């Protein structure tokens, strides 16, 4: 979200000069130096015995080559940390701390100037693992100094930039300055948007097409799963896990396009009822009913619109309680400043995501007061979601079906029975699909109640089960 704000004015005329660089590093885990890693463990004063244990794990791997199906020889590694080792990401983050320290020294260099709106926070880089963004004022001395600072880190750590895959983006800069930066860096001069941490970064509002990448990913996953004969419980778990993961992309979905959310619901609905990613056929039960909790007669699948609202309200809470994060510092320094957040209104020059965040604050006022939010020490999206859903009437039969003793397929069919949504002949006649609603087992009319409780054959089956199970 900070990155979205950094490029807000890119592409406009008459703006202050600025440059943003997106770096791609070569094989980061394979190239990091062991001596550098050890220094980075010693410098923060980790216990020496602990450091020795870590370095034994790092220095001991050996490799062999498989040639024509047989292994040949062993050789030792000389650098790098192992892919897949749960310790490796933590060690890498510690190494990247050195880059942050080097970048922070730039504020003391006289000729270095910060990116617009970044001076108060002393912000000149963003890092998440090996995804690095550098930003500064759009003049050659500042760009050259920030590249030199990264080169110091590169020489110390062994990590190298892949110039062919790295890009820089500019605003308010003349052609000569752009050309000099291109020559000294070797990067491509590109235009927005670009992807950072899986999210599209754009100076304008993200389009529907850019959001549809999530829908495409869901469809691709469902196509793979179609070949697996998932049980009903497996299907429900999959649909719920997809919806639970969607809130990660809240800044790209709910803020922008309800149509994208509706498409995601359509995919989930088609998969639940028909096992495919797309279907024009209606489901047996209305989706609003499906999204109710099991104790209220639903399947417990999350309502994606309300879940995204709940996820966004976490950011309203974070600002209200002044959580310690770069984004909170950013919005307080750039937007809110000395104003009261609870009464704050964004101006017309604010970015699109910030305007929508403020709009969500107004919706949060419906279920929370300012004091109530301040008293929450750890925000729960699930609890907020339940408040948005509101109080639901409980059904009396949920505990009989939703338990571990019942077969998942039987649970699902029993749920349809209680809602009277099976395709019994009386419903087919009402829909004009057939003309005869007689029960095939007796002389009565087939309905849910008749089929399971009043039919002679059904009553005989029930009495036999009563006898087997010794039930009154």
């Amino acid at each position: 979200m900070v990155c979205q704000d950094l490029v807000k004015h890119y592409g406009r005329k008459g703006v202050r000069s600025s440059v943003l660089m997106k770096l791609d590093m070569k094989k980061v885990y394979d190239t990091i130096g062991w001596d550098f890693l050890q220094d980075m463990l010693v410098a923060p004063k980790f216990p020496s015995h602990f450091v020795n244990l870590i370095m034994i794990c790092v220095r001991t791997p050996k490799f062999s080559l498989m040639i024509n199906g047989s292994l040949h020889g062993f050789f030792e590694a000389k650098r790098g940390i192992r892919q897949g080792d749960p310790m490796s990401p933590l060690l890498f983050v510690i190494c990247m701390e050195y880059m942050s320290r080097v970048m922070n020294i730039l504020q003391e260099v006289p000729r270095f100037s910060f990116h617009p709106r970044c001076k108060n926070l002393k912000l000149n880089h963003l890092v998440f693992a090996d995804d690095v963004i550098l930003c500064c004022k759009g003049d050659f001395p500042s760009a050259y100094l920030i590249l030199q600072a990264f080169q110091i880190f590169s020489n110390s750590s062994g990590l190298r930039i892949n110039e062919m895959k790295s890009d820089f983006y500019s605003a308010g800069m003349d052609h000569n300055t752009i050309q000099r930066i291109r020559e000294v860096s070797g990067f491509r001069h590109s235009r927005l948007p670009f992807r950072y941490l899986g999210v599209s970064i754009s100076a304008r509002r993200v389009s529907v097409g850019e959001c549809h990448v999530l829908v495409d990913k869901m469809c691709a996953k469902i196509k793979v799963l179609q070949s697996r004969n998932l049980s009903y419980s497996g299907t429900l778990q999959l649909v719920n896990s997809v919806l639970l993961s969607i809130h990660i992309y809240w800044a790209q979905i709910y803020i922008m396009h309800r149509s994208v959310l509706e498409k995601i619901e359509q995919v989930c609905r088609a998969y639940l009822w028909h096992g495919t990613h797309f279907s024009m056929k209606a489901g047996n039960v209305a989706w609003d009913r499906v999204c109710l909790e099991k104790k209220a007669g639903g399947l417990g699948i999350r309502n994606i619109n309300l879940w995204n609202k709940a996820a966004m309200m976490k950011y309203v809470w974070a600002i209200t309680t002044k959580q310690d994060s770069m984004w909170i510092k950013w919005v307080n320094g750039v937007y809110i400043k000395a104003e009261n957040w609870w009464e704050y209104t964004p101006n017309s020059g604010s970015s699109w995501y910030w305007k929508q965040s403020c709009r969500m604050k107004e919706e949060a006022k419906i279920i929370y007061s300012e004091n109530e939010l301040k008293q929450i020490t750890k925000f729960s999206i699930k609890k907020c979601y339940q408040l948005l859903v509101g109080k639901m009437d409980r059904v009396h039969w949920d505990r009989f079906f939703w338990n571990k003793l019942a077969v998942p397929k039987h649970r699902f069919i029993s749920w349809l029975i209680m809602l009277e949504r099976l395709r019994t002949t009386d419903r087919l006649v009402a829909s004009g699909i057939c003309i005869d609603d007689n029960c095939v087992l007796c002389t009565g009319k087939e309905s849910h109640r008749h089929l399971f409780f009043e039919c002679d054959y059904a009553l005989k089956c029930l009495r036999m089960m009563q006898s087997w199970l010794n039930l009154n």
Side-chain angles (χ1 to χ4, degrees):
M1 292 185 286
V2 174
C3 191
Q4 291 277 18
D5 255 347
L6 288 175
V7 302
K8 181 173 73 76
H9 63 282
Y10 280 47
R12 301 179 187 177
K13 295 181 179 180
V15 296
R16 287 184 290 174
S17 62
S18 52
V19 62
L20 182 142
M21 307 176 190
K22 181 176 180 292
L23 308 186
D24 183 274
M25 291 192 283
K26 300 177 181 177
K27 299 181 179 179
V28 288
Y29 276 24
D30 297 334
T31 56
I32 197 161
W34 286 348
D35 292 339
F36 171 76
L37 174 59
Q38 186 168 356
D39 290 343
M40 288 303 299
L41 293 172
V42 171
K45 299 182 180 179
F46 284 110
S48 58
H49 179 62
F50 174 76
V51 174
N52 291 335
L53 288 174
I54 295 294
M55 294 312 299
I56 288 172
C57 295
V58 171
R59 295 179 187 272
T60 51
K62 295 183 179 181
F63 304 92
S64 61
L65 298 177
M66 180 172 284
I67 303 175
N68 295 331
S70 58
L71 296 175
H72 296 270
F74 282 92
F75 59 93
E76 296 181 352
K78 297 295 181 182
R79 61 180 182 180
I81 49 181
R82 283 178 282 190
Q83 296 275 0
D85 188 330
M87 186 170 62
S88 296
L90 306 177
L91 296 176
F92 185 77
V93 168
I94 292 174
C95 293
M96 292 303 291
E97 176 64 17
Y98 183 71
M99 192 205 84
S100 291
R101 300 290 180 95
V102 173
M103 291 297 169
N104 290 339
I105 295 174
L106 282 176
Q107 60 185 288
E108 302 171 6
V109 179
R111 298 201 66 184
F112 179 80
S113 300
F114 285 94
H115 192 280
R117 302 188 298 170
C118 292
K119 187 174 182 180
N120 291 336
L121 287 177
K122 311 298 183 186
L123 178 66
N124 57 19
H125 68 285
L126 298 172
V127 183
F128 186 88
D130 61 334
D131 290 304
V132 180
I133 282 183
L134 308 179
C135 58
C136 62
K137 184 180 178 181
D139 58 14
F140 182 75
S142 298
Y144 184 74
L145 285 169
I146 203 168
L147 288 170
Q148 287 295 100
F150 189 88
Q151 189 62 46
I152 292 173
F153 165 72
S154 180
N155 293 339
S156 303
S157 64
L159 299 176
R160 297 284 183 266
I161 299 175
N162 187 345
E163 290 87 357
M164 299 297 293
K165 294 183 179 180
S166 299
D167 304 88
F168 73 96
Y169 308 86
S170 62
M173 294 171 57
D174 60 78
H175 177 74
N176 290 336
T177 304
I178 292 173
Q179 187 62 29
R180 291 183 70 187
I181 293 175
R182 182 191 287 122
E183 291 173 356
V184 76
S185 66
F187 302 164
R188 296 173 299 189
H189 182 227
S190 302
R191 296 180 180 273
L192 299 176
F194 65 89
R195 300 195 72 77
Y196 182 60
L197 305 182
V199 178
S200 180
I201 304 297
S202 176
R204 55 177 176 77
R205 193 178 183 183
V206 178
S207 67
V208 174
E210 289 166 326
C211 293
H212 264 286
V213 64
L214 293 174
V215 181
D216 296 337
K217 287 181 179 180
M218 288 175 58
C219 294
K221 186 174 183 180
I222 286 173
K223 287 178 181 178
V224 173
L225 292 171
Q226 282 176 352
S227 59
R228 306 176 190 175
N229 190 18
L230 278 183
S231 65
Y232 281 95
S233 68
T235 300
L236 295 181
Q237 289 173 6
L238 174 67
V239 173
N240 237 341
S241 66
V242 169
L243 296 181
L244 283 170
S245 65
I246 290 297
H247 78 271
I248 298 171
Y249 301 92
W250 68 271
Q252 275 196 277
I253 301 178
Y254 182 80
I255 282 182
M256 260 105 14
H257 306 291
R258 287 291 296 271
S259 62
V260 177
L261 290 178
E262 291 169 0
K263 181 64 177 177
I264 290 172
E265 279 193 353
Q266 183 181 347
V267 172
C268 292
R269 189 164 56 245
Y271 184 64
L272 175 65
W273 296 113
H274 309 293
T276 181
H277 67 281
F278 176 77
S279 176
M280 294 296 291
K281 298 178 182 178
N284 291 27
V285 180
W287 191 250
D288 289 341
R289 185 66 185 266
V290 171
C291 291
L292 294 178
E293 293 183 22
K294 291 179 179 178
K295 65 182 181 182
L299 286 182
I301 291 176
R302 267 72 171 182
N303 181 308
I304 189 172
N305 287 290
L306 296 182
W307 185 262
N308 268 275
K309 285 187 179 182
M312 292 175 67
M313 286 182 186
K314 182 174 183 179
Y315 297 94
V316 177
W317 164 81
I319 299 173
T320 304
T321 55
K322 292 182 169 58
Q323 295 294 300
D324 185 17
S325 75
M326 174 59 69
W327 181 69
I328 301 300
K329 294 175 182 177
W330 175 269
V331 296
N332 276 292
V334 173
Y335 292 118
I336 303 174
K337 298 179 181 177
E339 296 187 49
N340 178 8
W341 160 237
W342 206 242
E343 304 299 329
Y344 171 84
T345 302
N347 57 42
S348 58
S350 301
S351 63
W352 51 266
Y353 89 83
W354 176 242
K355 290 178 182 177
Q356 298 294 343
S357 299
C358 294
R359 185 180 299 173
M360 191 51 55
K361 179 196 64 177
E362 300 304 317
E363 295 202 29
K365 289 181 179 180
I366 300 173
I367 58 175
Y368 294 109
S369 68
E370 185 178 11
N371 288 332
E372 286 174 337
L373 271 184
K374 286 182 177 179
Q375 291 172 5
I376 298 175
T377 55
K378 186 176 181 180
F379 190 88
S380 169
I381 297 176
K382 184 178 180 180
K383 290 181 180 178
C384 181
Y385 173 79
Q386 291 170 344
L387 289 174
L388 290 171
V389 171
K391 188 176 181 180
M392 295 177 287
D393 296 330
R394 180 160 189 167
V395 297
H396 66 279
W397 43 263
D398 62 299
R399 64 184 183 276
F400 295 113
F401 304 143
W402 305 115
N403 59 71
K404 294 181 180 180
L405 297 177
V407 177
K409 186 174 182 178
H410 298 171
R411 297 179 207 167
F412 194 83
I413 294 174
S414 299
W415 174 68
L416 291 174
I417 292 170
M418 297 308 297
L419 298 181
E420 297 189 355
R421 287 296 184 271
L422 288 179
R423 290 172 181 167
T424 51
T425 54
D426 64 328
R427 296 189 70 222
L428 296 177
V429 168
S431 302
I433 297 175
C434 66
I435 57 174
D436 183 10
D437 61 354
N438 291 325
C439 178
V440 296
L441 302 174
C442 68
T443 58
K445 302 293 184 181
E446 184 183 301
S447 65
H448 280 83
R449 185 171 183 82
H450 172 84
L451 186 61
F452 293 99
F453 302 106
E454 296 175 350
C455 175
D456 294 339
Y457 185 80
L459 284 173
K460 184 178 179 180
C461 291
L462 286 173
R463 289 184 183 123
M464 291 174 67
M465 285 190 287
Q466 282 182 307
S467 175
W468 296 338
L469 300 174
N470 293 321
L471 294 175
N472 294 324

